[in-house]
Structure formats: C-alpha cells, structure tokens
Amino acid sequence: MEVQTGIFAAPLRKLAVGVLQQGPVPQHVAFIMDGNRRYAQKRGQETKEGHNSGYNTLSRILDFCYQVGIHEVTVYAFSLENFRRPTAEVEALMEIARTRLRQICDRGDLVERYGIRINFIGDLSLLPEDVQETCRYVADFSRKNTHSILNICMPYTARDDIAHSIRTIAKNKVNSNEIDESTIRDHMYTAGSRPLDLLIRTSDTNRFSDFLLWETESRRTQRGTHIVFSKSLWPEYSVFELFWTLVKWSYSAE
Amino acid sequence: MVDSATQSGTVSGFFFGIILKFVFALLAVVKFVRSFYFQSTYRVEALTLSPHKTPQIIRNDVTKLSKVPRHIAVILDRKQKHVEGGGVEGLLSDVGEVAAWCIGAGASELTVYERTGVLKSLPLQDVYNAIEDRLRMYFGNSSSATFKIFNRQNDGTKSLGPSAAGSADPKLLINLISESNGRKLIVDVTRVLSDMVAQNVTSPKDITLDVIDRQLKERIGSEPDLLIMFSSEIDLQGYPPWHIRVTEIYCSPANNGNVSYLVFMKALHAFATAKFKLGR
C-alpha cells in the first residue's frame, strides 16, 4: 500500500507526530467518512473512483493516527442504509473490502506495522458470502495483536446495535432488575471498546446518521466526546486538518 | 511498532515539547481572534435584525427559507441564580421565548432538554402559565398561540393543554425532557421487553427495531428534525441517544450560552440549506 503524503511530506509528518506525542493523545477516535460521491461528482469521475480516493485517504489517516499513538480507531465503512444505493455502487464498495482488507494484512503493511487487531462491528451475515469470508480471515489473522485496534463498522447502524443488544439481553433471560446501562453496553457490537474521545464527520453534514449514538459521551462526564464536523469532503480530508483537530483536543484535555 | 525515533531521544522530546507549547499558544491566539471576530460580526448581525417581539417579523425572516423543521429541540441550561436571566425564572423565560419563536416560525413541536430535570420538577401549571405569559408578549391575547405541554416521565406522561373546551388543536406541542429520558429510558424499555419475553408474552425475535422505536416514541415523542445548542461547543449532555439518529445539529461557536433569536434563526437557516440524504 502506498501511503500518499499529501501536503505533509514525510519529515514534516514525523515532526507533527513528535509534537503531538508531547501532549495528551486521544485513545479512541471515530470517523464518519462522508463525501466520496460528491468528490467524484465534482471531478467528473465515476462514483467508484470517489470511493477509491476515499480509501486512500483512510489509509493515510489511519497511518497517522497509529503513529501518533491513538490506540483505537473506529470507522463507519458501510451503513445498513447503504444497501439501498445502486447495485453497482454497493458492489464497488464490496470490491474495496475484498481486495483492500487482505492487502493491509500483508507483510510490512498497516496491520503488522502497528500491531492492529481488526474488529468488525455489525451484522456480517448480511454481506456477500465471499466478503464475510474475507472479514473472518482478517479478524482471525489479527486476533493476537494487542498494540492497537481498528473497528470497522460494516454493515452497521447505531439503532440496529442498540436493538441487537436489547434482543440479546431478552434472549439471555437476564433478570430485569439487574439490567442497567452497562448491561446494554456489554451486549452491543461495540462492547469492550474504549470511551470515545473524538468523533469526526466530514463533508459539512452536521448529523450523526445513526453512528455511535450510544457511545457518544456528554462533555460533562470525565471523558466526554468531542464532536467535530469538518467541511472537507472525505477524500480531501488531510493529515494536516487531523493534526490541527488533535492539537485542539490536546489543548482542551490538558 | 511505534516509530522509535520520535519516542526515544530526550533531546528531541524537549524540542517537540517546546513546539507543542508554541502551537498551543498559537491556538490560543487563533481562538481569541476568532471569538473576537465572531462576536463582533454577531453584534452587527444582531443589530441588522429588527426587534422581533412581533410574530410578523419572525414570519418575514422565515419566508426566505426553503423549508422549516416540523419538530425543533433545544438544549437549555439553568444559569446561576445571581446572573441575569439565571435561576429557574430565567430558564422559564427562555422556554417561553423559544416557544414563541417556534410558533412564529411555524414549527409544530418543541422538545426542551434540560439535563437536571428542574423544569420537570416544577408544577406543570406553573410552567404552563410562565409560557403563556411570555407568548402574550408576542401574540397578545389572540388564540393564534395555543400550546399543549407534556412532562415526559418514563413511567407516564402528564400533560396540560388549552383550558377552553372545544378549542381547536394547539399550535405547538412542548415536550419537557431531561437526562432520565435518555439512556435510562432505554434501560427501562429493555426491562419491560425482557420481562415480556420471560413471561412468554413475546419472543426475542419479535423485539425489532420498530417495536423498540414505538416504545420509546410513546414515552418521549418523536425524533426532532433540528437540535439547537446555545453553547459554543457541541455537547449533547446525555440527550436521548435513540432520538438523534439523523437530527440536524446546530451549534454556533460565536455564542456562549445566550438563548438568542439570532442563533435560532441561524439554526433554521442551516437546516434549510442542509442536504438531506440517508444512505442513498
């Protein structure tokens, strides 16, 4: 995988990483990667091209996150609502999953470099059989890694996750007096993930679109979630913009 | 695995530390200049905005918009007692103001989220009267500003509406909610559903997303189209998580807790220009 550097050339990026590491670093960051299609449209490309550019941005951003020392990253890769998109586009996204997921497990690539365990969040059984197989392979391959975590939400919606948790609790016949917020949390697909420090959504859309609704913490609690709406389209989201967002987080956390 | 060059040397760490302090200082300056700029443009904008205590002017402001949200939610804070507009009194007048703007703008439902639940602990008649007094300042004694208020409790809602028998449907429905209607409500609903399964009234596979949605809606109303915060940074403060699925969120970095008509109008403007697409 080629890591494109954008405006942040390698030495400059190293400097940014070194600087950020001197302050507090968020432990869990989530991304809603919105704007691939608008990016393609703007440049007169096919939708598929937009998603490919989006993937390149993702690998660049992930690389930077783990270098800085962010322990856990969660990405909204595919919403349950996305199944309603044109078949060709859904297929293009599945093709990215098929090829790229195996690729990042290659020797010397992302997974090995940062010791990443990959978790899939959502109901995998809704995906095509071969994509499921790839997901199982990748999850299995990275299971023993303990250094960092990448949660890939696919196919996922927050409401579906809460409903899935409630259903599981009812099925397990948990005594209703013993049910509290932590019971619901523990039965979600996202159980076990760290408190969410930062949620970033791109493409100037100020909505959650059914992502991590339960996990977003009030800023009044000890470790609240900072919510950042960026105006950039996802393929245009730069390492520099992320750097600046992390500086701001660090500043207010200090 | 971690880039050793950036972690090791104490000398480079020292320099990086200095750079970080420098960047923080830069950030502080940027923040200061930004807030100064925001606040001055904000004042100018507030001046150009005509005095708005008449419904016609709100209507004029709204007619420029391509669409208006049906259901608006606001997060309000009780300010300290000694500051202007503070205490429960201040909170009640804020609710009244927002209610008047909503009616003026043509929204038909307003949800007021106040985290601690202080509004809900007041006698409902007192809240009703306070809002009615405030609406009178805008609409006079005309019947064009009728409303019905709901005190949303997880185990049963109390409501209060226009007293005159045979009066038309109220113009605005007002829900009062608090933190206990958030995750706690989802816990309560889980308990109810899990008891139903235990008693074989229903089976786990029948606990669908729609069933849960209906249970939650019944108790605290529907999802708002627009959620307005008056703080300078986004903080949901424990707002019911199920209910902000695709809600448009508005928060102005220029504002600082002030429940102002300008922020309200800007939020409506942002809502009207936002592109709505879900998944597709």
Side-chain angles (χ1 to χ4, degrees):
Chain A
M1 176 191 66
E2 86 287 22
V3 176
Q4 292 176 10
T5 47
I7 57 163
F8 244 119
L12 213 51
R13 222 176 38 191
K14 216 164 217 174
L15 178 70
V17 169
V19 167
L20 282 172
Q21 280 176 346
Q22 295 303 311
V25 170
Q27 283 306 291
H28 186 181
V29 178
F31 292 97
I32 303 180
M33 308 176 287
D34 192 17
N36 292 346
R37 283 176 304 165
R38 245 178 294 163
Y39 176 80
Q41 235 168 45
K42 212 170 79 176
R43 313 181 86 201
Q45 293 173 331
E46 275 184 73
T47 310
K48 201 175 112 184
E49 295 303 314
H51 288 305
N52 282 328
S53 308
Y55 175 78
N56 288 334
T57 300
L58 175 63
S59 57
R60 198 158 57 215
I61 292 297
L62 285 178
D63 196 76
F64 188 74
C65 284
Y66 293 122
Q67 252 186 67
V68 169
I70 293 168
H71 185 88
E72 186 165 355
V73 179
T74 302
V75 296
Y76 202 177
F78 195 84
S79 152
L80 284 165
E81 308 284 344
N82 290 157
F83 282 119
R84 296 202 239 153
R85 289 186 181 179
T87 328
E89 192 187 341
V90 173
E91 178 45 40
L93 284 164
M94 291 302 147
E95 186 56 29
I96 290 178
R98 262 180 225 117
T99 55
R100 304 295 196 164
L101 279 172
R102 271 177 203 276
Q103 201 184 326
I104 60 170
C105 292
D106 283 350
R107 246 191 115 73
D109 214 312
L110 213 57
V111 169
E112 192 187 74
R113 239 180 308 147
Y114 299 107
I116 301 169
R117 186 174 85 226
I118 297 183
N119 299 322
F120 289 93
I121 291 184
D123 188 356
L124 285 181
S125 70
L126 298 171
L127 298 175
E129 186 54 49
D130 59 338
V131 177
Q132 284 184 47
E133 203 177 296
T134 306
C135 294
R136 277 194 296 269
Y137 164 79
V138 169
D140 206 49
F141 177 84
S142 65
R143 179 148 307 166
K144 291 202 189 70
N145 292 337
T146 54
H147 193 265
S148 331
I149 294 171
L150 172 61
N151 300 311
I152 302 178
C153 299
M154 175 172 100
Y156 167 91
T157 61
R159 278 193 178 179
D160 180 65
D161 198 3
I162 297 169
H164 156 258
S165 168
I166 296 175
R167 204 155 41 232
T168 315
I169 291 167
K171 204 188 289 170
N172 292 356
K173 300 214 158 60
V174 180
N175 185 340
S176 69
N177 293 321
E178 286 164 19
I179 298 170
D180 59 13
E181 289 179 24
S182 62
T183 321
I184 295 183
R185 187 82 184 84
D186 293 344
H187 288 83
M188 288 172 69
Y189 292 119
T190 55
S193 65
R194 283 174 169 65
L196 186 62
D197 293 319
L198 185 57
L199 188 146
I200 298 170
R201 178 181 189 142
T202 54
S203 91
D204 204 15
T205 306
N206 302 1
R207 298 168 196 255
F208 279 80
S209 299
D210 222 337
F211 185 57
L212 302 182
L213 300 175
W214 183 278
E215 292 77 3
T216 303
E217 294 283 347
S218 164
R219 293 283 293 276
R220 279 162 195 270
T221 60
Q222 223 185 351
R223 294 196 69 164
T225 309
H226 286 229
I227 298 157
V228 177
F229 293 121
S230 159
K231 293 201 188 310
S232 317
L233 300 175
W234 175 252
E236 292 167 341
Y237 188 73
S238 66
V239 168
F240 181 74
E241 193 174 342
L242 177 60
F243 167 75
W244 193 237
T245 299
L246 292 175
V247 166
K248 283 194 224 168
W249 187 90
S250 187
Y251 182 70
S252 67
E254 221 187 22
Chain B
M1 285 186 276
V2 171
D3 202 339
S4 56
T6 52
Q7 260 207 340
S8 61
T10 46
V11 177
S12 59
F14 177 72
F15 279 114
F16 288 145
I18 288 177
I19 297 174
L20 184 66
K21 288 282 174 288
F22 179 76
V23 174
F24 278 171
L26 189 72
L27 178 66
V29 172
V30 169
K31 276 195 167 174
F32 178 77
V33 172
R34 255 172 59 124
S35 80
F36 181 78
Y37 169 77
F38 271 140
Q39 263 153 32
S40 35
T41 52
Y42 186 83
R43 274 199 203 111
V44 173
E45 280 179 298
L47 283 178
T48 59
L49 219 63
S50 12
H52 52 271
K53 282 214 161 65
T54 63
Q56 284 76 22
I57 285 173
I58 302 177
R59 206 152 300 142
N60 286 346
D61 287 336
V62 169
T63 46
K64 297 167 201 151
L65 305 174
S66 60
K67 59 175 178 176
V68 172
R70 188 197 69 78
H71 182 177
I72 296 173
V74 292
I75 296 181
L76 297 182
D77 290 301
R78 177 165 59 154
K79 297 180 195 83
Q80 281 173 322
K81 226 178 184 150
H82 58 270
V83 299
E84 206 196 321
V88 176
E89 298 287 299
L91 196 54
L92 282 173
S93 86
D94 285 346
V95 174
E97 287 282 310
V98 175
W101 303 335
C102 282
I103 293 176
S108 57
E109 192 168 353
L110 166 67
T111 294
V112 177
Y113 181 84
E114 192 283 327
R115 188 179 58 89
T116 64
V118 53
L119 282 173
K120 288 162 64 185
S121 66
L122 298 172
L124 200 54
Q125 186 69 55
D126 290 3
V127 182
Y128 188 91
N129 292 346
I131 297 172
E132 201 175 36
D133 286 349
R134 187 57 65 158
L135 290 182
R136 221 170 270 141
M137 291 166 67
Y138 283 82
F139 301 92
N141 282 324
S142 75
S143 59
S144 60
T146 52
F147 66 98
K148 189 174 179 187
I149 187 164
F150 298 85
N151 183 347
R152 296 293 190 174
Q153 303 287 349
N154 294 354
D155 53 1
T157 293
K158 277 175 273 168
S159 70
L160 201 60
S163 47
S167 53
D169 281 348
K171 279 265 159 30
L172 186 68
L173 305 177
I174 304 174
N175 303 300
L176 303 180
I177 63 167
S178 68
E179 192 169 27
S180 64
N181 303 118
R183 287 181 186 168
K184 276 205 192 75
L185 173 61
I186 299 179
V187 169
D188 287 351
V189 165
T190 309
R191 286 181 178 159
V192 169
L193 292 170
S194 145
D195 278 341
M196 284 168 71
V197 170
Q199 292 155 11
N200 289 319
V201 183
T202 186
S203 83
K205 72 164 175 17
D206 293 329
I207 303 178
T208 59
L209 203 145
D210 289 336
V211 167
I212 297 164
D213 192 42
R214 223 173 300 134
Q215 292 273 346
L216 291 168
K217 262 194 197 145
E218 225 167 68
R219 287 168 173 85
I220 59 165
S222 61
E223 174 181 6
D225 302 305
L226 171 66
L227 171 62
I228 306 173
M229 277 165 237
F230 295 94
S231 51
S232 58
E233 282 187 320
I234 300 171
D235 184 3
L236 296 168
Q237 294 192 28
Y239 193 95
W242 187 273
H243 283 71
I244 43 161
R245 186 177 71 113
V246 289
T247 302
E248 177 79 19
I249 293 168
Y250 185 83
C251 175
S252 163
N255 197 34
N256 221 335
N258 202 1
V259 180
S260 83
Y261 178 68
L262 179 61
V263 172
F264 182 82
M265 273 321 297
K266 283 184 160 221
L268 288 194
H269 188 81
F271 178 83
T273 49
K275 272 213 297 186
F276 184 79
K277 51 171 184 67
L278 180 60
R280 279 173 283 193

